[in-house]
Amino acid sequence: MSETKDRVRRELIVRRVQEVDCDLAPDDIDGAINAVATNPSALWVLARALEGGHDPLVSGAPPLVGRLVTELRARGSVLEEPTCAVCGRVHLKLTASGAGALCPRCRHRELATACSACGVVKPVGGRGSQGEALCARCAPRPRRVCSVCGRTRPIARRAHEGVGEICDSCYKGPVALCSRCGGMRPCNFVAMGRPICISCAPRRTSRCAHCARTRPACVRWPEGPVCEPCYRAALSRRGFCERCGRDRRLVVPPGADARLCAECGGVPPLACCRSCGAEERLYADGECVRCALRTRARQLVGDPGGPLSAVYEAIATAPQPYSTHNWLRSSAGAAVLGELVAGTLSCTHEALDAHPHRRGADHLRHLLVATGVLAPRDDEIARLEDWIAARLKSVEDPAHRRLLRSYATWRLLRRARARASGADLTRRTPTQHAKTCLNAAVAFLAHLSDRGQDLATVTQADVDAWLASGPPSARLVADFLDWAASRHHIERLNVPGPVRAAAPAIADDKRWQIAHRLLCDETIDLSDRVAGSLVLLYGQQLSRIVTLTHDQVNFGKETTRLELGSVAIDLPPPLDGLFARLVAERRPYSGIAPSQQRWLFPGLDPGRPLTAYQLGQRLQRLGIQPSSARRAALAHLGARLPAALLSRLLGIAPTTAVRWTRVAGGDWNTYAAQIARRA
């Protein structure tokens, strides 16, 4: 009986093959069938696939039929090689579908459905405990060590051809010229000759239930498929429910006219975080972006109650969680933090200085210092020490090198450390002048060597000749010569100081015009308006503006006062309103920092303010030249206030206040006598 069934099935298969290729010999067909159908079950599968006609031989699906077509082609058949109907790849197991024969990857995408965790329509990456469909991002995946970054993460590509396993963050597809957009990007199907980047990859479209446009579906809700713009709009549509009166997400009826929340409308809740229950857009694993950030911070840092608990808290409470996710995913600082947690890197300034990723290590250093994990230090002084050591190595003469090392140690570094000792370590210590002085000393000693002289034989004529023929910074050799004379290496020589040229200042009417624009134009960034007003109205330096803290602004019942010097200034309207808004709203900060951010102008480095250079660039884009605007403001104030009061109000040196009073032509010689008579 079984032999009769096998003979009937074989005759059916031969007949179907002859329908598409009548020239192929029956013996060749039998040989192909014998090569593929090695058991009765395989013969039954072939016969059942060809019962309805010869179409499976044309498409090459299911896989056993595709193998039969390959064997027939090897025996001279004119049948075409089985090819995926979507990606065009060959030599793959194809599956019959409504779109034709598809390879496993294209069939996987065709069967995409709404993820039960995040609600986004994606290929099924796994199943939950109750059999519910989960996308690859939400499905639990085994985590292994990545061969590129060394972190334990979900693996995107397994080890092959001598290359280890690569995680999701490190894996990048082969770069090729996309056949659709023409850009050089990581693409799929490169080996097939049809490279397609991720942005151009085809997606199945459907009619959106909200806007009625034909677009790729982002989620499938009870009312039907919803596109990405409508999905975002629905998740952000909040208000007071007409039935319960609570501030909830309004979803019934669907669309912009929604008046009821999901609970009152009798529909399942949309995108609720499984951890905190908040009605927020889900980011990963069924969690909102904030809860997902806590999960990632816990995976990276470890137990929140451990030694790095302050770092965990700073990451978990970052002002911009999406930016922090990107930092954890791709920044060098996060990789250095992973090394610190794993114990392969010690938590010291010296270890961070020696790390090959210096910028990432410096960013992590600021985070560790801001959270109290690492003791603070002056980074500018440390960089100056490294620079001096490297610069002295380039000096060939040993005697000159010893002399310059003593000068750098006992004059330049000692002066820089003394200047930094009384300042906040979060402020930048100026070190460029020290570098320029050392360069001038190196160049001067090299000049003496070229002339066959030694420092002990230097005369005033030699110094004058050097000043006449040397570089523009030649006058700065005066600091080195003064130090050498104090150590009795040479006689004291005279180097004339630089001639101060009167720098230009903007016209007073233009200054008031720009100030009016900053005070009234709401389209300008609030922090730029406040900083520019301090320059134009009070002549403040950018290096002092960026270090202003919230403690220096005092709000009274009627006035707002700002502490720039020893005496607070009453801020006039509308400037007082701008300061109140800046303190209340805080300048947008996208980095990672402790929860208490005390700076009025925070920077990107954790716990540190904006740099004066960055603030200057922002003001210049508004048409404000800080130096000329500051000179105009100080000249205006110097003509109206005595130098002593100007120094106490603005926090500038008394000599500077006296100089600006003289420049402005102010005469306050009788100011003390007037005060005495008034007393």
Side-chain angles (χ1 to χ4, degrees):
M1 186 65 180
S2 61
E3 295 179 357
T4 303
K5 289 183 179 180
D6 291 346
R7 185 174 65 254
V8 173
R9 292 165 182 166
R10 185 178 293 271
E11 291 175 356
L12 173 64
I13 298 171
V14 172
R15 187 167 62 252
R16 296 305 185 202
V17 174
Q18 289 178 341
E19 289 176 3
V20 294
D21 190 356
C22 58
D23 296 332
L24 193 62
D27 294 340
D28 293 334
I29 299 176
D30 287 335
I33 295 174
N34 293 332
V36 175
T38 57
N39 55 68
S41 298
L43 188 64
W44 177 81
V45 172
L46 284 174
R48 183 167 183 177
L50 297 173
E51 281 179 352
H54 60 265
D55 290 341
L57 291 172
V58 179
S59 63
L64 200 59
V65 176
R67 289 175 55 190
L68 177 60
V69 173
T70 302
E71 291 293 336
L72 293 173
R73 285 174 51 83
R75 288 164 172 77
S77 175
V78 295
L79 287 172
E80 295 184 358
E81 188 173 12
T83 305
C84 177
V86 175
C87 66
R89 295 190 296 173
V90 296
H91 307 300
L92 296 174
K93 295 180 180 181
L94 305 181
T95 304
S97 69
L102 302 181
C103 67
R105 181 162 57 182
C106 295
R107 177 63 173 170
H108 193 52
R109 294 178 178 176
E110 186 188 36
L111 296 177
T113 184
C115 175
S116 60
C118 64
V120 181
V121 177
K122 290 183 179 181
V124 178
R127 298 284 176 177
S129 58
Q130 304 297 325
E132 64 273 15
L134 298 173
C135 65
R137 193 171 189 176
C138 298
R141 287 191 293 166
R143 307 169 70 89
R144 294 189 293 272
V145 178
C146 173
S147 61
V148 177
C149 64
R151 293 180 289 178
T152 302
R153 300 180 56 87
I155 298 301
R157 186 165 184 172
R158 297 176 181 175
H160 71 292
E161 299 178 358
V163 180
E165 294 182 322
I166 303 176
C167 68
D168 292 342
S169 300
C170 298
Y171 175 72
K172 300 292 186 296
V175 178
L177 188 67
C178 179
S179 59
R180 298 197 176 187
C181 66
M184 290 294 296
R185 298 175 179 176
C187 296
N188 298 321
F189 315 122
V190 175
M192 303 298 106
R194 296 176 54 192
I196 301 177
C197 66
I198 298 176
S199 301
C200 299
R203 296 177 60 191
R204 187 173 58 180
T205 59
S206 57
R207 188 174 183 269
C208 177
H210 286 197
C211 65
R213 296 181 181 179
T214 302
R215 292 175 173 175
C218 179
V219 294
R220 293 187 180 273
W221 283 342
E223 61 268 23
V226 181
C227 64
E228 175 75 17
C230 294
Y231 171 70
R232 290 178 177 272
L235 294 184
S236 61
R237 191 176 293 116
R238 299 185 65 92
F240 291 97
C241 176
E242 290 185 355
R243 185 168 300 174
C244 66
R246 291 180 295 174
D247 185 12
R248 299 285 299 277
R249 179 183 294 153
L250 305 180
V251 296
V252 177
D257 298 329
R259 300 183 303 275
L260 301 178
C261 63
E263 183 178 350
C264 296
V267 299
L270 306 180
C272 290
C273 176
R274 64 181 177 86
S275 297
C276 65
E279 293 180 325
E280 300 291 344
R281 188 184 184 200
L282 303 182
Y283 184 84
D285 299 335
E287 294 182 324
C288 65
V289 62
R290 182 65 66 182
C291 293
L293 182 59
R294 293 192 184 96
T295 301
R296 294 189 62 183
R298 191 179 300 108
Q299 293 171 353
L300 177 63
V301 180
D303 183 12
L308 296 179
S309 58
V311 178
Y312 165 82
E313 192 65 26
I315 296 176
T317 60
Q320 300 292 336
Y322 287 98
S323 299
T324 308
H325 273 288
N326 294 335
W327 183 81
L328 292 173
R329 182 184 304 112
S330 57
S331 73
V336 178
L337 179 58
E339 297 177 16
L340 192 67
V341 174
T344 58
L345 181 70
S346 59
C347 186
T348 60
H349 287 291
E350 293 74 16
L352 294 175
D353 290 338
H355 199 277
H357 295 288
R358 184 61 185 269
R359 295 186 63 181
D362 285 343
H363 185 84
L364 178 62
R365 183 204 317 277
H366 297 149
L367 176 60
L368 297 176
V369 170
T371 54
V373 177
L374 195 62
R377 75 164 188 183
D378 196 310
D379 293 336
E380 298 300 325
I381 297 295
R383 293 191 183 96
L384 178 61
E385 293 173 351
D386 295 340
W387 182 88
I388 288 176
R391 185 69 178 91
L392 293 179
K393 288 182 180 179
S394 62
V395 179
E396 298 179 356
D397 192 327
H400 289 174
R401 193 184 309 118
R402 287 192 300 271
L403 187 65
L404 292 170
R405 183 178 292 109
S406 299
Y407 166 62
T409 302
W410 300 107
R411 172 62 69 94
L412 300 180
L413 285 175
R414 186 176 183 180
R415 184 166 55 197
R417 292 190 184 106
R419 185 171 186 177
S421 61
D424 190 344
L425 292 182
T426 55
R427 304 185 182 186
R428 297 181 181 272
T429 302
T431 57
Q432 185 58 44
H433 180 72
K435 296 178 181 179
T436 309
C437 289
L438 183 59
N439 284 330
V442 172
F444 180 68
L445 293 180
H447 170 74
L448 295 180
S449 297
D450 294 339
R451 299 180 59 180
Q453 288 184 269
D454 190 69
L455 182 63
T457 62
V458 171
T459 62
Q460 185 66 45
D462 298 327
V463 174
D464 295 340
W466 161 251
L467 296 176
S469 60
S473 60
R475 293 184 181 277
L476 293 178
V477 78
D479 187 70
F480 172 70
L481 295 178
D482 178 72
W483 172 84
S486 65
R487 294 297 186 274
H488 306 289
H489 294 299
I490 58 173
E491 297 293 333
R492 191 165 296 278
L493 303 173
N494 180 36
V495 177
V499 179
R500 288 184 174 270
I506 61 174
D508 218 35
D509 55 348
K510 183 178 180 180
R511 182 172 68 91
W512 287 114
Q513 180 182 359
I514 298 175
H516 181 269
R517 177 192 169 200
L518 292 177
L519 294 173
C520 302
D521 192 349
E522 292 292 336
T523 62
I524 303 176
D525 183 83
L526 179 60
S527 58
D528 294 343
R529 295 170 66 185
V530 172
S533 299
L534 291 176
V535 175
L536 291 164
L537 300 179
Y538 298 104
Q540 290 296 294
Q541 293 178 327
L542 299 184
S543 58
R544 297 192 63 198
I545 293 176
V546 295
T547 56
L548 291 176
T549 64
H550 293 268
D551 297 336
Q552 294 178 252
V553 185
N554 302 315
F555 297 100
K557 294 182 179 180
E558 298 180 357
T559 60
T560 300
R561 314 193 77 184
L562 175 65
E563 297 178 3
L564 296 176
S566 58
V567 178
I569 299 175
D570 292 339
L571 297 177
L575 184 59
D576 57 348
L578 296 182
F579 266 90
R581 288 174 52 190
L582 184 63
V583 171
E585 300 172 6
R586 296 178 178 266
R587 180 176 178 270
Y589 179 73
S590 59
I592 302 173
S595 56
Q596 300 298 328
Q597 183 62 259
R598 63 191 182 101
W599 305 110
L600 281 178
F601 303 92
L604 292 180
D605 290 332
R608 298 177 70 90
L610 193 71
T611 64
Y613 175 79
Q614 292 169 331
L615 180 59
Q617 294 293 312
R618 294 169 65 97
L619 295 182
Q620 287 180 9
R621 285 194 289 267
L622 297 175
I624 303 174
Q625 297 298 328
S627 56
S628 57
R630 178 175 180 267
R631 285 190 288 268
L634 289 177
H636 173 82
L637 295 173
R640 289 161 176 78
L641 295 174
L645 185 58
L646 191 65
S647 174
R648 287 185 291 168
L649 288 176
L650 302 185
I652 59 178
T655 54
T656 304
V658 170
R659 179 165 59 86
W660 280 109
T661 302
R662 291 175 179 174
V663 168
D667 186 7
W668 294 93
N669 293 330
T670 60
Y671 177 71
Q674 293 175 0
I675 293 296
R677 285 195 298 269
R678 189 181 306 169

